Amino acid sequence: QEQLVESGGGLVQAGGSLRLSCAASGGAFSISRYVMGWFRQAPGKEREFVSAIDWSGTDKYYADSVKGRFAISRDSAKNTVYLQMNSLKPEDTAVYYCASDMMETQFFMTHMGNIAYWGQGTQVTVSS
């Protein structure tokens, strides 16, 4: 059974950093064949796209709100995707979800309702 497990969330002051991890496991779930990404949902708001990395690890995409502050990467040997978050702001506070699918990357970014695999989420809280 394919599974995504996030870790690394927590409480941090504004301007600080956190690194989220998303470990994929189960069956033939190799991230080198999947688009991997991060979405987030703040209280009272809809879930939104944060970042994605294509199956090859070559193409990376970011929401405008995090561009220049967040960096996505993947370690195929560990079957894990990371989200390095720097210069955190209170508005980054949300539950962050890891997601994965074999669909085309642009579609993945804009059609979260069609994504097959989701993690359980990890809370990130940024205090001012």
Side-chain angles (χ1 to χ4, degrees):
Q1 179 177 344
E2 294 81 0
Q3 191 175 13
L4 298 173
V5 178
E6 302 102 331
S7 61
L11 173 64
V12 64
Q13 287 189 330
S17 298
L18 284 173
R19 189 177 80 156
L20 305 183
S21 299
C22 171
S25 63
F29 202 166
S30 170
I31 66 170
S32 60
R33 297 187 292 122
Y34 287 78
V35 176
M36 304 292 296
W38 294 90
F39 294 78
R40 68 185 181 186
Q41 188 166 17
K45 294 187 177 181
E46 294 186 352
R47 193 171 299 189
E48 63 178 2
F49 167 75
V50 175
S51 182
I53 186 168
D54 75 337
W55 64 272
S56 70
T58 301
D59 296 324
K60 302 176 183 180
Y61 303 87
Y62 300 95
D64 288 342
S65 58
V66 307
K67 206 169 290 184
R69 300 188 297 121
F70 290 12
I72 191 169
S73 62
R74 63 197 300 162
D75 184 335
S76 296
K78 295 183 177 180
N79 227 23
T80 299
V81 174
Y82 304 97
L83 185 67
Q84 178 67 43
M85 305 187 295
N86 299 324
S87 302
L88 282 162
K89 304 175 181 180
E91 50 264 44
D92 294 318
T93 295
V95 177
Y96 283 70
Y97 296 91
C98 178
S100 179
D101 206 292
M102 282 187 165
M103 62 179 65
E104 191 272 332
T105 309
Q106 293 292 335
F107 192 83
F108 176 94
M109 293 162 53
T110 55
H111 292 79
M112 69 180 79
N114 296 90
I115 294 174
Y117 303 108
W118 291 90
Q120 82 287 353
T122 185
Q123 176 71 46
V124 171
T125 303
V126 184
S127 63
S128 58

